[in-house]
Amino acid sequence: MDYIDYYKILGVEKTATPEQIKSAYRKMARKYHPDVNAKDPEAQKKFQQVNEANEVLSDPDKRKKYDQYGADWKHAEQYEKARQQQGSGSNPYGYNSGEDSFTYEDGGDFSDFFQSFFGGGSQRANGRQRQYRGQDYNSELHINLSDAYTTHQQILNIGSKQVRITIPAGIENGQTIRLRGYGADGVNNGPKGDLYLTFIINNNTPFNRIGDDLELTVNMDLYTAVLGGEVMVETMNGKVKLKVPPGTQNGVKTRLKGKGFPVYKKEGTFGDLYVTYQVLLPTHLTDKQKELFEELKNLSLKN
């Protein structure tokens, strides 16, 4: 198993605080987001790595295991159990990880360590058949961005079973979650493999999502831009009325704090909505309107 340095992917030190990790994740997610790099497969691969790194380092328990076991942090419980049994002189004959070698972060190799327990290629230990873990499955789940805005449930058909899963609000496009025990059956009553589910999110909204933030372009007539006024703006949970100051220029951006996308697994926490004004020039002017614009032009030249 190749070692992936999650700290390096996010560009932070191993001593980084949770706040620093969150900040680095949002920065990298913006940079490599599929909506920004639609034609760049390498950027999409980077985006998945960034999400994977954040999934581990933002979780205190997962981060602790990762810091201790590196690439093999998912097998931490098995390692600890094996160490305990080694200390008691017992042989955990009932499990085989399915991996040929386990490389620890500092370069230590776990293959010899496990061979001392599992007996190398032997098919039996203490007279019993060795158990093998089942193969992992990989699949995709397609949902709409509007669905990803709220925590909801979906029923999946996995083999002959129907499984109801809860999808947390804020799930990212390209993010992968693990459903433990929904992979292939193990051999000799060994544990089942897992199902790795990757989310493909279709944007069925007028918003552009960048991490936890949303972007929206709003059309505004020339008169409101010049004289000031109000505009109605769509958000993911309803409309809001914004005041427009006189003399607002085309392309001006304003931020609506907390009106963005939900932060994954942080209930009640939202990103921001960035609204960009697009000033529309009037067309099909009447003779009277043209005359008034000419008058404004002449007045401006005199000033």
Side-chain angles (χ1 to χ4, degrees):
M1 182 181 295
D2 294 334
Y3 172 64
I4 301 176
D5 191 334
Y6 292 146
Y7 291 101
K8 185 176 181 180
I9 288 174
L10 293 183
V12 297
E13 299 293 332
K14 291 185 179 181
T15 55
T17 65
E19 291 73 21
Q20 289 173 327
I21 289 174
K22 178 181 178 181
S23 176
Y25 164 68
R26 296 183 68 172
K27 179 181 178 181
M28 300 299 285
R30 283 176 178 270
K31 181 177 180 180
Y32 295 112
H33 199 281
D35 292 342
V36 180
N37 305 275
K39 298 182 180 180
D40 187 352
E42 189 62 29
Q44 294 180 23
K45 180 181 177 181
K46 283 278 190 181
F47 181 72
Q48 291 184 351
Q49 291 178 341
V50 167
N51 272 300
E52 182 180 336
N54 181 64
E55 178 76 15
V56 175
L57 298 186
S58 64
D59 185 304
D61 184 56
K62 291 179 181 178
R63 182 179 180 182
K64 180 180 179 181
K65 292 176 181 178
Y66 174 76
D67 288 343
Q68 185 172 0
Y69 294 102
D72 301 298
W73 67 271
K74 293 179 181 179
H75 302 288
E77 293 178 4
Q78 298 154 20
Y79 293 162
E80 291 302 325
K81 182 178 179 181
R83 289 182 188 279
Q84 292 171 6
Q85 290 172 327
Q86 184 186 40
S88 63
S90 60
N91 188 343
Y93 55 81
Y95 180 79
N96 183 286
S97 69
E99 298 286 350
D100 294 328
S101 179
F102 300 78
T103 303
Y104 184 50
E105 181 179 355
D106 63 5
D109 197 320
F110 278 97
S111 57
D112 293 338
F113 173 68
F114 271 81
Q115 279 188 345
S116 68
F117 286 114
F118 302 136
S122 173
Q123 295 300 309
R124 291 175 177 270
N126 292 350
R128 299 188 185 185
Q129 286 187 323
R130 185 185 302 280
Q131 294 177 328
Y132 292 88
R133 181 177 179 276
Q135 181 181 357
D136 291 334
Y137 290 156
N138 293 277
S139 186
E140 293 181 349
L141 180 60
H142 293 250
I143 64 173
N144 288 328
L145 185 63
S146 57
D147 295 326
Y149 184 78
T150 58
T151 297
H152 65 286
Q153 293 186 330
Q154 285 202 22
I155 296 178
L156 305 181
N157 292 313
I158 303 177
S160 59
K161 295 182 180 180
Q162 283 193 331
V163 180
R164 186 188 302 272
I165 67 169
T166 298
I167 302 174
I171 197 82
E172 279 272 10
N173 183 42
Q175 185 171 343
T176 299
I177 64 173
R178 180 178 66 166
L179 300 180
R180 190 189 298 272
Y182 284 100
D185 290 333
V187 178
N188 297 327
N189 293 319
K192 297 188 67 171
D194 301 327
L195 170 62
Y196 288 86
L197 199 59
T198 299
F199 287 84
I200 306 299
I201 300 180
N202 170 54
N203 190 353
N204 63 331
T205 76
F207 303 95
N208 180 36
R209 180 186 180 188
I210 306 294
D212 302 322
D213 295 330
L214 295 174
E215 296 178 336
L216 179 68
T217 298
V218 173
N219 293 332
M220 181 170 55
D221 62 70
L222 176 64
Y223 315 107
T224 303
V226 173
L227 302 174
E230 295 178 337
V231 293
M232 296 298 295
V233 175
E234 291 279 355
T235 72
M236 290 290 288
N237 62 351
K239 294 183 177 181
V240 297
K241 186 181 294 184
L242 295 183
K243 289 185 177 181
V244 179
T248 296
Q249 299 295 312
N250 183 57
V252 165
K253 183 179 292 187
T254 185
R255 182 181 72 156
L256 278 66
K257 189 173 182 180
K259 289 295 183 179
F261 217 71
V263 178
Y264 183 66
K265 287 190 176 180
K266 291 189 177 180
E267 187 175 352
T269 305
F270 294 80
D272 301 327
L273 170 60
Y274 292 88
V275 176
T276 300
Y277 292 124
Q278 179 173 287
V279 179
L280 301 179
L281 299 179
T283 58
H284 308 295
L285 297 176
T286 65
D287 291 339
K288 180 62 176 177
Q289 288 174 320
K290 291 179 181 178
E291 181 182 334
L292 290 172
F293 271 108
E294 283 291 345
E295 186 176 344
L296 284 172
K297 174 182 176 182
N298 293 331
L299 286 173
S300 296
L301 291 175
K302 289 179 180 179
N303 293 334

